[in-house]
Amino acid sequence: MVDCPYFITVEEAMAICQKSPPQIEVETLPIWESTGRILAEDLASKVDDPPFDNSSMDGFACRFDSDATYPLTLTIVGMQAATGANKPLTVGDGQAARIMTGAPMPPGSDAILPIERCRVDQDNVTLLEAPKPHFVRRQGENLQHGHIALKKGQQLTPSRLGLCATMGHATVAVYRRLKVAILSTGDELKPPGESLTHGEIYESNSYGLAGLVEWAGHTPVRFPAVADSMDSLRQALNEASSTCDVILTSGGVSMGEFDYVRRLMEEEGDIHFWRMKIRPGSPPLFGTWSSTPLFGLPGNPVSSHVVFRMLVAPYLRHALGSDGPKEWTVRAKLCDPVKSTKDCVTLRRVTLVSTEEGMMAYQPRHQGSGNIESLASAHGLTLLQPGQSGEVGTWIDVLVL
Ligand code: AMP
Ligand code: MG
């Protein structure tokens, strides 16, 4: 038995991992290269948004007059397009200016009537109803100059990138993506594309884990599968720790004869905990190899994926103080029974169906932790707490995949 915390809760495991954060660096990038990155600074707006009063409709700009009766005919004084460059128009009593969406409000005007409600006859326009002040977008109504609209730690989603540009920022300080080494271990693993001999299987974890690392906003570095020997593993870990910020291994962390990740970490690395109270996925370990944080994930494909979502993703988010990628849980009613355990969080794969009563969770598949198809076809993972009933009809939290 290793001399470290053993078979602990996810929260306890999380607290231990967070004490060994990866090295973080900041870089400045043009905003068009920053999709999905995590902001390393607060961003204040350099301008008011909108920067000037403007029209939200194509139509006519005029003065609102509460005593007027409609239809009302006004003289057209000119056209105000959505450009700062044209000659400023002024609108007086009895006058209107043709205006385009986004064009600055001509001085003297304070209301807009959309073109569909106007009749144009040469130099005159007849308003069929009263013009509307609410079609004017007021200077600063969205954002005021100096307002901090994006905070350090926020992930730059597409709409947030648009906001950066709207606020006048061409470049942003973001955290450098972490390089995450992915090492599969096992003599039985063959790359897809080659033919299998009896006893061999296709290596799949590194592909799924690489996708998860990218989803989390970082850079996966896939290593060739490592043979089950102390020497090959030591060599791969040395290379990974000298070139990457975090190491993920898969396989070799259970009680088996060939579980060399655990043995090597025990004998030459530094294990901070081993085994966690989740099912599937109880065998993981965490520690450091030459001071690089290392997650020893289980070999079973569903387990390695689940442990990434429950432990590695929150660790990476915490390391950058980040709010993304956002994890969603929904309340759902179990429509198939799920067996809970006394001490583990049970993470069964469920299909979700939205109904008038709420979300329904079905468990249609064989649920072995080696069955990656059961994960690929699922929408969520049950977050069934230790001892919580998993009977049909129970409302539970589901982590959306
Ligand atoms: P282990 O923890 O090494 O005993 O692996 C547990 C199970 O997961 C075994 O059935 C392995 O063959 C399988 N396995 C381990 N690594 C991978 C991998 N990278 N891809 C697919 N299956 C794997
Ligand atoms: Mg193995």
Side-chain angles (χ1 to χ4, degrees), residues 185-189 228 250-253 258-260 299:
T185 67
D187 287 339
E188 74 282 26
L189 305 174
D228 282 324
S250 87
V253 285
F258 298 104
D259 286 333
Y260 287 118

Side-chain angles (χ1 to χ4, degrees), residues 286-327:
F286 175 81
T288 51
W289 180 268
S290 303
S291 28
T292 306
L294 179 149
F295 291 83
L297 307 180
N300 275 310
V302 174
S303 307
S304 64
H305 193 109
V306 163
V307 174
F308 188 101
R309 288 296 292 262
M310 297 298 288
L311 192 64
V312 183
Y315 168 85
L316 294 172
R317 272 198 300 275
H318 183 267
L320 304 186
S322 130
D323 70 345
K326 178 104 182 84
E327 296 273 24

Side-chain angles (χ1 to χ4, degrees), residues 129 170 174:
E129 59 188 80
V174 294

Side-chain angles (χ1 to χ4, degrees), residues 26-187:
V26 174
E27 60 185 338
T28 298
L29 291 181
I31 54 173
W32 60 89
E33 288 175 17
S34 304
T35 311
R37 303 296 288 268
I38 309 300
L39 265 180
E41 59 177 346
D42 290 347
L43 281 191
S45 186
K46 296 181 174 189
V47 291
D48 286 336
D49 173 40
F52 49 87
D53 290 356
N54 69 92
S55 173
S56 68
M57 289 285 167
D58 290 326
F60 281 87
C62 55
R63 261 181 211 187
F64 181 77
D65 177 357
S66 54
D67 297 332
T69 53
Y70 298 89
L72 174 71
T73 300
L74 304 171
T75 310
I76 301 173
V77 291
M79 158 114 79
Q80 182 69 56
T83 157
N86 60 4
K87 194 158 80 91
L89 295 168
T90 305
V91 172
D93 281 337
Q95 295 182 326
R98 178 88 170 90
I99 193 162
M100 306 300 157
T101 303
M105 290 297 288
S109 67
D110 57 11
I112 303 285
L113 192 63
I115 190 76
E116 307 84 88
R117 306 299 298 143
C118 300
R119 223 172 25 230
V120 178
D121 179 16
Q122 295 189 0
D123 292 342
N124 295 319
V125 56
T126 301
L127 311 184
L128 302 180
E129 59 188 80
K132 310 284 188 285
H134 67 254
F135 289 136
V136 180
R137 301 189 285 214
R138 297 281 170 207
Q139 177 175 347
E141 72 177 16
N142 302 331
L143 274 182
Q144 300 208 330
H145 184 191
H147 178 76
I148 294 174
L150 287 172
K151 288 238 160 73
K152 181 172 163 169
Q154 285 189 300
Q155 190 176 34
L156 291 173
T157 57
S159 57
R160 287 174 179 171
L161 284 170
L163 180 55
C164 291
T166 300
M167 294 196 294
H169 295 274
T171 58
V172 279
V174 294
Y175 292 110
R176 187 173 64 75
R177 288 187 202 278
L178 295 170
K179 281 167 86 178
V180 181
I182 300 171
L183 274 81
S184 298
T185 67
D187 287 339

Side-chain angles (χ1 to χ4, degrees), residues 45 55 58 73-74 93 190 232 246 267 279 312 320 343 377 379 390 392 395:
S45 186
S55 173
D58 290 326
T73 300
L74 304 171
D93 281 337
K190 266 276 179 73
S232 0
V246 176
E267 291 172 20
R279 193 174 277 184
V312 183
L320 304 186
D343 41 19
S377 57
H379 301 133
V392 170
W395 286 87

